[in-house]
Every structure is written in structure tokens, then in C-alpha cells.
Amino acid sequence: MRADIDSYREVADSLMRNKSRSILTGFGVFWGIFMLLCLIGGGAGLRTMLMENFEGFATNSAFLISSATTRPYKGMKEGREWSLEERDIARLKVLVPELDIVSGTMGRWGQTAERGLYTTNCNLKGIPSNYSKIETPQIKYGRYLNESDCRHKRKVCVIGKRIYNNLFPEGGDPCGSVIKVGPIYCRVVGVDFNSGNISIQGRSDEAIVIPMQLEQQLFSYGNKYDVIALTCKEGVTFTSIESRIRQVLARNHNFDPADKQALFILNTEQMFSLIDNIFKGIDFLIWLVGLGTILAGIVGISNIMMVTVRERTVEIGIRRAIGATPNEILSQIIAESIMLTMIAGGAGIVLSVGILETLEKATGNPSFQISLAMALLAAVFLTVLGTVAGMPPAIRAMGIKPVDAMRDE
């Protein structure tokens, strides 16, 4: 026990004698681990913040929107307008069996909602009951629209978070209250707190959702839809069936299937894939830069330890002469390398966690942080690198003979 204490004391004394050199050498390891952990935690936070914009959307969904044709077709000129219809839903279900949910929606912008003295602007969105499988709501109070609401054209609605805050500033459960939405009065049956920044036909927090059949009747839509929303069955990618969907609709509405402007398709599958690939590239760059900086610091530590061994040739030779074994010399040099690496790396870990904690509080996003497992892995990694860095100078120290040390003196 006494020998171990003396050994640790010798290591500490050696580092203190070379304090300025140790600080400069350890800075490379400190900066590398600090930068690596900050970039990992920051990248995770940015990924979460970006994905929050797509909150609630099915990752295998797509949205079809009709537009004016841009090519002549079968004697008809370009610029012809057409609309998605109810029969398109039935045909897509039959002719493209890989589809899971096929749902038509419609929207009215610039509407006004009123409750007593409170008034707010809103978007009025008409949806079928199965639309919740495409854009998942976050119900705070009450429920979402169901099949019975849509079938019987009930005058009920689900309001978004901003609408709730503006019409019900006193808070509490608004379900059962009656509000005026555009030309009609509707009973509130639910509150949707979905806060995604991307939404079809208006953001969810600014929308009032009513049964699709009710909106069709109110605004004389007939059998037309503004948007048809789709999801694929498990294991099917939308990209693989996109051309067939274009052919089905082009045949029904007499436009060129190659006219991509006539049928605009928003493929969220591609959007999610693009974001995922971008962050994979960012993660690779983070690890490449961080590990490169750490390894450069480790090489610096190894070189400095080599210089230190050379300067301490006489000291090591004397210790060998009075009975120190090669293993004791080896363990001391490696211990100095590990201690220097751990001190510098530990400081980098502590500072990076502190900065990420500040970012977390500033943004309110808990993803700006590294996990305990990541911190422990970094500590183990530093220990291994410290050992590797100390091996060359330690082997050199083991080869010093007392006679050679005395000759150098």
C-alpha cells in the first residue's frame, strides 16, 4: 500500500515539475474531446429541433395536389385546370393495392372563429376520420373526430393550440363549448396540441378541424378535394409506386402522365430520407474532426513523454541502480501519460457538458446533451489512448541501463 502511494506521489511530482509543458501538451486532448462532445450533443439537439417541424406526420406519407397542365395531350392544350375527385380515392385503392390510407381533405383559409368577446383568425380544415393516421394529433382535451361525426355531418370541431389560447384565455377544458366558425356554430369536442411547423392546408395549431362532409356541404365543394393524402403499407416505398399513381390519375383526368406540374406530389418519405442522410454526413464529419484532433493531442503527449524520459535518463538510471524493476519504471511512465490524458480530457468533458446544459436551458430542448454512457465511453477511450501514448516512452525508459545513465551524467 505504501509503495502504491509513493508511486502516485512520484507521478504527481513529475507532472508538477513539467507543469507548463504538460498544460500545453494536454490542451490538444482537451480541445479534441471538448469539440467532439459539443458537436455530438449539438448535432443531436439540432436533429431533434428539425424533426419537430415534422411532428405528427407519418414517415411513409405523400400528398397529391392538382394543378394546371403544362403539356398538350390528346388534342387538348396546356393550361387546362382539373381537380381531384372522390372517385380518384376509390380508383387508387383498387388499382394501387400497395396503398394503406387514402384520404381526401379540403381547406379554407382566412376564416374567423368567435366565442363571445373573443375572436381569432383560423384555417378551416375538413377531414375524414382516418386522416388522424396520416397527421397524428396530440389531443390535450376531449377526442378527435370519428367516423360517426363525418357520416352524420355533425357540427363539431377540434381546435388547435393557438385557437384554444385565443378563444379560451381562462384555460380549462373547452369541450362542450360552442364557437362560431365562419358561417356556422360548432361544438368543441377536442383540442389538438400538435405543434409541428409543417402541415398540409395550414399549421395544426392555427386550424379548426371539422368533418369533411360538413365542409363539402357548407362551401359547395361537391365531390372535389383540395388534397389527397396517402400512406403506403409496411415495407412499400412511395417512390416505387409513384409512377403508377400518376398513370391512374392521368388516365382519369386526361393529362400527360409525364406532366409532373399537372400533379404535384409532396413525398414526405423523401424529405425524411434527405434529412437523415444529411445528419449521417454531419455525424461522420463530427467524428472525423473530433477523433483527428484527439489523436493529434495523443501524439503530442507521446512525444513530450519521450522528451521527458530522455531528460530523466539519470534519474531513471539511479532508480534502476537502487533496485527499481523495469515494470515499476514502465508503470510510472504509463501512469504519467494516463494522468495527463485524463486531466485534460476530463476538463474537456466537464466544460462540454456545461455548455450543452446552457444550450438546453436556452432553447428548452433537452436533446442538447450527451448521455452518461457517452461520457463514460469517452473516459474509457481517454484511458486507452493515454496508455497507448505512454507505451513508446515507457519502453524506452525500460531500456535505460544504470551504466549508460551514469555515463550521460
Side-chain angles (χ1 to χ4, degrees):
M1 182 68 178
R2 179 66 182 176
D4 292 340
I5 294 175
D6 291 340
S7 177
Y8 291 134
R9 184 179 293 121
E10 289 174 1
V11 171
D13 291 342
S14 175
L15 292 177
M16 288 303 295
R17 286 196 302 269
N18 300 277
K19 180 169 61 175
S20 59
R21 182 184 295 166
S22 299
I23 291 174
L24 291 175
T25 306
F27 181 76
V29 176
F30 162 79
W31 179 249
I33 197 70
F34 166 76
M35 184 168 59
L36 177 61
L37 295 182
C38 279
L39 290 174
I40 290 174
L46 288 175
R47 184 198 296 265
T48 301
M49 291 180 66
L50 183 59
M51 294 307 294
E52 284 177 352
N53 292 321
F54 300 91
E55 184 179 4
F57 271 104
T59 57
N60 63 340
S61 61
F63 301 88
L64 313 181
I65 303 172
S66 62
S67 185
T69 60
T70 58
R71 296 184 181 185
Y73 186 70
K74 292 184 178 180
M76 294 176 285
K77 295 182 178 181
E78 69 274 12
R80 181 171 55 88
E81 299 286 347
W82 67 281
S83 299
L84 295 166
E85 299 176 347
E86 187 172 352
R87 61 180 181 177
D88 293 326
I89 293 179
R91 287 172 177 169
L92 286 172
K93 288 181 178 179
V94 172
L95 298 177
V96 190
E98 293 88 348
L99 293 173
D100 184 19
I101 303 296
V102 183
S103 174
T105 70
M106 55 202 66
R108 301 282 291 190
W109 286 266
Q111 300 297 306
T112 301
E114 302 176 13
R115 172 184 171 255
L117 300 177
Y118 303 109
T119 304
T120 186
N121 295 325
C122 67
N123 300 322
L124 190 60
K125 184 189 294 187
I127 64 168
S129 58
N130 63 355
Y131 187 75
S132 60
K133 297 180 181 179
I134 298 174
E135 187 176 353
T136 306
Q138 294 183 359
I139 300 300
K140 176 69 174 180
Y141 299 106
R143 61 174 178 84
Y144 206 61
L145 300 182
N146 57 37
E147 180 63 29
S148 182
D149 295 329
C150 297
R151 185 186 307 114
H152 298 292
K153 304 179 184 178
R154 291 175 179 167
K155 294 181 179 180
V156 295
C157 66
V158 175
I159 61 177
K161 183 177 180 179
R162 190 181 68 83
I163 306 300
Y164 167 73
N165 291 334
N166 291 341
L167 294 185
F168 298 89
E170 70 278 7
D173 187 351
C175 295
S177 302
V178 175
I179 62 175
K180 184 180 180 184
V181 184
I184 62 170
Y185 287 89
C186 290
R187 188 174 301 278
V188 178
V189 296
V191 180
D192 180 11
F193 266 36
N194 188 345
S195 56
N197 292 325
I198 298 177
S199 182
I200 301 301
Q201 297 178 323
R203 291 176 48 174
S204 297
D205 62 346
E206 299 176 348
I208 295 181
V209 178
I210 64 174
M212 178 184 64
Q213 289 83 348
L214 177 62
E215 184 160 343
Q216 284 178 319
Q217 178 179 326
L218 288 175
F219 299 101
S220 302
Y221 272 92
N223 291 323
K224 297 180 180 180
Y225 297 115
D226 293 330
V227 176
I228 289 181
L230 314 168
T231 62
C232 301
K233 292 181 179 179
E234 186 176 355
V236 178
T237 62
F238 185 81
T239 304
S240 65
I241 59 174
E242 180 177 342
S243 61
R244 290 166 55 195
I245 291 174
R246 288 187 178 277
Q247 290 172 3
V248 170
L249 294 178
R251 184 167 58 250
N252 293 342
H253 296 278
N254 292 315
F255 66 85
D256 189 344
D259 188 356
K260 294 188 177 182
Q261 299 297 323
L263 177 63
F264 174 74
I265 299 180
L266 176 62
N267 187 349
T268 60
E269 176 188 284
Q270 291 181 341
M271 296 170 63
F272 281 108
S273 177
L274 176 62
I275 293 172
D276 187 56
N277 289 334
I278 288 174
F279 275 98
K280 283 181 179 178
I282 292 175
D283 289 342
F284 174 77
L285 185 61
I286 287 172
W287 283 99
L288 181 65
V289 173
L291 291 179
T293 306
I294 292 174
L295 291 176
I298 292 298
V299 171
I301 288 178
S302 183
N303 290 335
I304 290 298
M305 292 300 298
M306 193 73 75
V307 173
T308 301
V309 167
R310 182 183 296 274
E311 292 177 350
R312 295 165 57 190
T313 299
V314 175
E315 174 192 336
I316 294 172
I318 293 172
R319 292 189 61 197
R320 290 291 305 275
I322 62 177
T325 65
N327 286 336
E328 289 176 345
I329 301 296
L330 177 70
S331 62
Q332 180 181 349
I333 300 301
I334 292 179
E336 289 181 18
S337 177
I338 292 175
M339 184 175 292
L340 181 57
T341 306
M342 289 299 294
I343 291 174
I349 293 174
V350 171
L351 184 58
S352 63
V353 169
I355 289 179
L356 291 173
E357 182 73 19
T358 302
L359 281 174
E360 179 181 332
K361 292 180 179 178
T363 61
N365 185 349
S367 298
F368 281 101
Q369 196 53 269
I370 59 172
S371 64
L372 177 61
M374 178 62 70
L376 293 176
L377 180 61
V380 173
F381 182 62
L382 289 172
T383 303
V384 173
L385 289 181
T387 304
V388 173
M391 286 299 295
I395 293 173
R396 178 182 177 84
M398 286 176 59
I400 296 176
K401 299 178 180 179
V403 175
D404 295 334
M406 296 305 178
R407 185 180 300 115
D408 289 343
E409 179 63 19

